[in-house]
Amino acid sequence: MDSIGRPPQQYNPNVHGPYNPGTYYGKADTHWKNVKLAELPAWLNRRSKHPVHIAQAIGRAAWRWNNKWLDVKRPTAAPLVHIIICSSAFYYFLQYKSHTDERIAKYH
């Protein structure tokens, strides 16, 4: 728990410059868009499935989203639209069972 509030061990200020919480400072790997279908299982096996690493990846994604959509000179309504659409989709899938029950109902 000593690492809370500190940059990752791979971060070197002389090499990387100012610290950016949205950047992964570990060893670079093939981008997921460049992975061939045959290489996909091996690429997925190289990913860490540890809960701490998953939480760090989610945190980096949140920082990148925040920098792209909220921390700009002229913010728009796009972040609000993102939140509304994601919450609507989440609620729809949460209630999916009740939606499928109505599909086969016969109305006379």
mmCIF file of all heavy atoms in Angstrom, residues 6-29:
data_model
loop_
_atom_site.group_PDB
_atom_site.id
_atom_site.type_symbol
_atom_site.label_atom_id
_atom_site.label_comp_id
_atom_site.label_asym_id
_atom_site.label_seq_id
_atom_site.Cartn_x
_atom_site.Cartn_y
_atom_site.Cartn_z
ATOM 1 N N ARG A 6 1.807 7.656 -5.397
ATOM 2 C CA ARG A 6 3.131 7.781 -5.982
ATOM 3 C C ARG A 6 3.096 7.311 -7.427
ATOM 4 O O ARG A 6 2.287 6.476 -7.798
ATOM 5 C CB ARG A 6 4.131 6.937 -5.203
ATOM 6 C CG ARG A 6 4.326 7.416 -3.786
ATOM 7 C CD ARG A 6 5.374 6.609 -3.102
ATOM 8 N NE ARG A 6 5.507 7.056 -1.725
ATOM 9 C CZ ARG A 6 6.186 6.423 -0.814
ATOM 10 N NH1 ARG A 6 6.800 5.303 -1.121
ATOM 11 N NH2 ARG A 6 6.269 6.893 0.403
ATOM 12 N N PRO A 7 4.009 7.822 -8.267
ATOM 13 C CA PRO A 7 4.052 7.337 -9.652
ATOM 14 C C PRO A 7 4.512 5.887 -9.710
ATOM 15 O O PRO A 7 5.138 5.387 -8.767
ATOM 16 C CB PRO A 7 5.061 8.268 -10.334
ATOM 17 C CG PRO A 7 5.778 8.963 -9.251
ATOM 18 C CD PRO A 7 4.947 8.885 -8.018
ATOM 19 N N PRO A 8 4.226 5.186 -10.805
ATOM 20 C CA PRO A 8 4.640 3.782 -10.920
ATOM 21 C C PRO A 8 6.163 3.642 -10.917
ATOM 22 O O PRO A 8 6.896 4.595 -11.176
ATOM 23 C CB PRO A 8 4.040 3.334 -12.251
ATOM 24 C CG PRO A 8 3.599 4.544 -12.945
ATOM 25 C CD PRO A 8 3.488 5.644 -11.965
ATOM 26 N N GLN A 9 6.627 2.439 -10.646
ATOM 27 C CA GLN A 9 8.065 2.190 -10.564
ATOM 28 C C GLN A 9 8.758 2.389 -11.911
ATOM 29 O O GLN A 9 9.926 2.761 -11.958
ATOM 30 C CB GLN A 9 8.325 0.769 -10.068
ATOM 31 C CG GLN A 9 7.910 0.547 -8.645
ATOM 32 C CD GLN A 9 8.114 -0.894 -8.217
ATOM 33 O OE1 GLN A 9 8.381 -1.763 -9.033
ATOM 34 N NE2 GLN A 9 7.982 -1.133 -6.916
ATOM 35 N N GLN A 10 8.058 2.152 -13.021
ATOM 36 C CA GLN A 10 8.672 2.269 -14.340
ATOM 37 C C GLN A 10 8.855 3.727 -14.769
ATOM 38 O O GLN A 10 9.537 4.010 -15.739
ATOM 39 C CB GLN A 10 7.823 1.565 -15.405
ATOM 40 C CG GLN A 10 7.607 0.111 -15.158
ATOM 41 C CD GLN A 10 6.343 -0.164 -14.370
ATOM 42 O OE1 GLN A 10 5.723 0.727 -13.813
ATOM 43 N NE2 GLN A 10 5.969 -1.429 -14.289
ATOM 44 N N TYR A 11 8.239 4.667 -14.053
ATOM 45 C CA TYR A 11 8.302 6.082 -14.417
ATOM 46 C C TYR A 11 9.671 6.653 -14.083
ATOM 47 O O TYR A 11 10.168 6.541 -12.968
ATOM 48 C CB TYR A 11 7.213 6.865 -13.687
ATOM 49 C CG TYR A 11 7.343 8.359 -13.829
ATOM 50 C CD1 TYR A 11 7.136 8.971 -15.048
ATOM 51 C CD2 TYR A 11 7.672 9.146 -12.737
ATOM 52 C CE1 TYR A 11 7.251 10.339 -15.179
ATOM 53 C CE2 TYR A 11 7.785 10.510 -12.856
ATOM 54 C CZ TYR A 11 7.581 11.101 -14.081
ATOM 55 O OH TYR A 11 7.703 12.456 -14.208
ATOM 56 N N ASN A 12 10.309 7.276 -15.061
ATOM 57 C CA ASN A 12 11.595 7.941 -14.886
ATOM 58 C C ASN A 12 11.430 9.378 -15.372
ATOM 59 O O ASN A 12 11.237 9.612 -16.560
ATOM 60 C CB ASN A 12 12.682 7.218 -15.684
ATOM 61 C CG ASN A 12 14.045 7.817 -15.481
ATOM 62 O OD1 ASN A 12 14.218 8.837 -14.813
ATOM 63 N ND2 ASN A 12 15.044 7.165 -16.050
ATOM 64 N N PRO A 13 11.505 10.384 -14.473
ATOM 65 C CA PRO A 13 11.277 11.769 -14.898
ATOM 66 C C PRO A 13 12.288 12.259 -15.920
ATOM 67 O O PRO A 13 11.979 13.131 -16.733
ATOM 68 C CB PRO A 13 11.352 12.573 -13.601
ATOM 69 C CG PRO A 13 11.802 11.662 -12.536
ATOM 70 C CD PRO A 13 11.737 10.271 -13.051
ATOM 71 N N ASN A 14 13.507 11.705 -15.918
ATOM 72 C CA ASN A 14 14.509 12.138 -16.896
ATOM 73 C C ASN A 14 14.176 11.647 -18.300
ATOM 74 O O ASN A 14 14.529 12.289 -19.285
ATOM 75 C CB ASN A 14 15.891 11.625 -16.491
ATOM 76 C CG ASN A 14 16.327 12.204 -15.159
ATOM 77 O OD1 ASN A 14 15.953 13.319 -14.810
ATOM 78 N ND2 ASN A 14 17.095 11.438 -14.411
ATOM 79 N N VAL A 15 13.484 10.522 -18.395
ATOM 80 C CA VAL A 15 13.143 9.941 -19.692
ATOM 81 C C VAL A 15 11.752 10.378 -20.140
ATOM 82 O O VAL A 15 11.551 10.783 -21.292
ATOM 83 C CB VAL A 15 13.211 8.398 -19.628
ATOM 84 C CG1 VAL A 15 12.738 7.777 -20.927
ATOM 85 C CG2 VAL A 15 14.610 7.948 -19.285
ATOM 86 N N HIS A 16 10.770 10.336 -19.230
ATOM 87 C CA HIS A 16 9.368 10.534 -19.592
ATOM 88 C C HIS A 16 8.888 11.970 -19.461
ATOM 89 O O HIS A 16 7.822 12.297 -19.975
ATOM 90 C CB HIS A 16 8.478 9.625 -18.732
ATOM 91 C CG HIS A 16 8.782 8.181 -18.906
ATOM 92 N ND1 HIS A 16 9.356 7.429 -17.900
ATOM 93 C CD2 HIS A 16 8.628 7.345 -19.957
ATOM 94 C CE1 HIS A 16 9.521 6.191 -18.318
ATOM 95 N NE2 HIS A 16 9.088 6.113 -19.568
ATOM 96 N N GLY A 17 9.616 12.822 -18.763
ATOM 97 C CA GLY A 17 9.170 14.199 -18.572
ATOM 98 C C GLY A 17 8.127 14.279 -17.468
ATOM 99 O O GLY A 17 8.106 13.456 -16.561
ATOM 100 N N PRO A 18 7.236 15.272 -17.553
ATOM 101 C CA PRO A 18 6.221 15.420 -16.492
ATOM 102 C C PRO A 18 5.318 14.196 -16.412
ATOM 103 O O PRO A 18 4.980 13.581 -17.418
ATOM 104 C CB PRO A 18 5.418 16.649 -16.915
ATOM 105 C CG PRO A 18 6.204 17.311 -17.968
ATOM 106 C CD PRO A 18 7.125 16.309 -18.554
ATOM 107 N N TYR A 19 4.922 13.860 -15.194
ATOM 108 C CA TYR A 19 4.092 12.670 -14.972
ATOM 109 C C TYR A 19 2.682 12.900 -15.488
ATOM 110 O O TYR A 19 2.067 13.927 -15.223
ATOM 111 C CB TYR A 19 4.055 12.323 -13.484
ATOM 112 C CG TYR A 19 3.173 11.149 -13.169
ATOM 113 C CD1 TYR A 19 3.503 9.879 -13.609
ATOM 114 C CD2 TYR A 19 2.004 11.309 -12.438
ATOM 115 C CE1 TYR A 19 2.705 8.800 -13.333
ATOM 116 C CE2 TYR A 19 1.195 10.231 -12.154
ATOM 117 C CZ TYR A 19 1.558 8.986 -12.608
ATOM 118 O OH TYR A 19 0.753 7.911 -12.334
ATOM 119 N N ASN A 20 2.172 11.928 -16.226
ATOM 120 C CA ASN A 20 0.808 11.953 -16.729
ATOM 121 C C ASN A 20 0.107 10.702 -16.216
ATOM 122 O O ASN A 20 0.486 9.592 -16.572
ATOM 123 C CB ASN A 20 0.790 11.987 -18.256
ATOM 124 C CG ASN A 20 -0.609 11.999 -18.815
ATOM 125 O OD1 ASN A 20 -1.589 12.144 -18.102
ATOM 126 N ND2 ASN A 20 -0.705 11.842 -20.115
ATOM 127 N N PRO A 21 -0.947 10.852 -15.376
ATOM 128 C CA PRO A 21 -1.607 9.664 -14.837
ATOM 129 C C PRO A 21 -2.307 8.813 -15.898
ATOM 130 O O PRO A 21 -2.634 7.662 -15.648
ATOM 131 C CB PRO A 21 -2.635 10.212 -13.854
ATOM 132 C CG PRO A 21 -2.403 11.654 -13.754
ATOM 133 C CD PRO A 21 -1.478 12.064 -14.839
ATOM 134 N N GLY A 22 -2.539 9.338 -17.089
ATOM 135 C CA GLY A 22 -3.213 8.581 -18.134
ATOM 136 C C GLY A 22 -2.272 7.799 -19.024
ATOM 137 O O GLY A 22 -2.705 7.188 -20.000
ATOM 138 N N THR A 23 -0.986 7.777 -18.715
ATOM 139 C CA THR A 23 0.003 7.096 -19.538
ATOM 140 C C THR A 23 0.504 5.844 -18.839
ATOM 141 O O THR A 23 0.771 5.859 -17.645
ATOM 142 C CB THR A 23 1.199 8.028 -19.824
ATOM 143 O OG1 THR A 23 0.728 9.202 -20.453
ATOM 144 C CG2 THR A 23 2.216 7.352 -20.723
ATOM 145 N N TYR A 24 0.643 4.754 -19.606
ATOM 146 C CA TYR A 24 1.215 3.518 -19.081
ATOM 147 C C TYR A 24 2.718 3.588 -19.306
ATOM 148 O O TYR A 24 3.191 3.734 -20.434
ATOM 149 C CB TYR A 24 0.618 2.309 -19.801
ATOM 150 C CG TYR A 24 1.215 1.000 -19.366
ATOM 151 C CD1 TYR A 24 1.033 0.532 -18.072
ATOM 152 C CD2 TYR A 24 1.971 0.235 -20.239
ATOM 153 C CE1 TYR A 24 1.584 -0.665 -17.658
ATOM 154 C CE2 TYR A 24 2.520 -0.965 -19.843
ATOM 155 C CZ TYR A 24 2.317 -1.399 -18.548
ATOM 156 O OH TYR A 24 2.864 -2.587 -18.134
ATOM 157 N N TYR A 25 3.492 3.493 -18.243
ATOM 158 C CA TYR A 25 4.944 3.621 -18.322
ATOM 159 C C TYR A 25 5.658 2.274 -18.361
ATOM 160 O O TYR A 25 6.873 2.226 -18.285
ATOM 161 C CB TYR A 25 5.452 4.449 -17.137
ATOM 162 C CG TYR A 25 5.025 5.888 -17.227
ATOM 163 C CD1 TYR A 25 4.005 6.383 -16.424
ATOM 164 C CD2 TYR A 25 5.625 6.749 -18.127
ATOM 165 C CE1 TYR A 25 3.608 7.702 -16.514
ATOM 166 C CE2 TYR A 25 5.234 8.069 -18.228
ATOM 167 C CZ TYR A 25 4.226 8.541 -17.412
ATOM 168 O OH TYR A 25 3.835 9.841 -17.522
ATOM 169 N N GLY A 26 4.938 1.188 -18.491
ATOM 170 C CA GLY A 26 5.551 -0.127 -18.586
ATOM 171 C C GLY A 26 6.073 -0.393 -19.992
ATOM 172 O O GLY A 26 6.082 0.477 -20.873
ATOM 173 N N LYS A 27 6.501 -1.631 -20.223
ATOM 174 C CA LYS A 27 7.028 -2.023 -21.527
ATOM 175 C C LYS A 27 5.911 -2.004 -22.566
ATOM 176 O O LYS A 27 4.820 -2.529 -22.338
ATOM 177 C CB LYS A 27 7.623 -3.427 -21.420
ATOM 178 C CG LYS A 27 8.287 -3.899 -22.672
ATOM 179 C CD LYS A 27 8.846 -5.294 -22.515
ATOM 180 C CE LYS A 27 9.390 -5.794 -23.836
ATOM 181 N NZ LYS A 27 9.753 -7.198 -23.760
ATOM 182 N N ALA A 28 6.169 -1.389 -23.690
ATOM 183 C CA ALA A 28 5.161 -1.273 -24.747
ATOM 184 C C ALA A 28 4.898 -2.629 -25.385
ATOM 185 O O ALA A 28 5.803 -3.445 -25.546
ATOM 186 C CB ALA A 28 5.624 -0.288 -25.807
ATOM 187 N N ASP A 29 3.637 -2.868 -25.759
ATOM 188 C CA ASP A 29 3.243 -4.111 -26.408
ATOM 189 C C ASP A 29 2.468 -3.745 -27.669
ATOM 190 O O ASP A 29 2.164 -2.579 -27.912
ATOM 191 C CB ASP A 29 2.373 -4.953 -25.469
ATOM 192 C CG ASP A 29 2.257 -6.397 -25.912
ATOM 193 O OD1 ASP A 29 2.918 -6.765 -26.900
ATOM 194 O OD2 ASP A 29 1.513 -7.147 -25.284
#
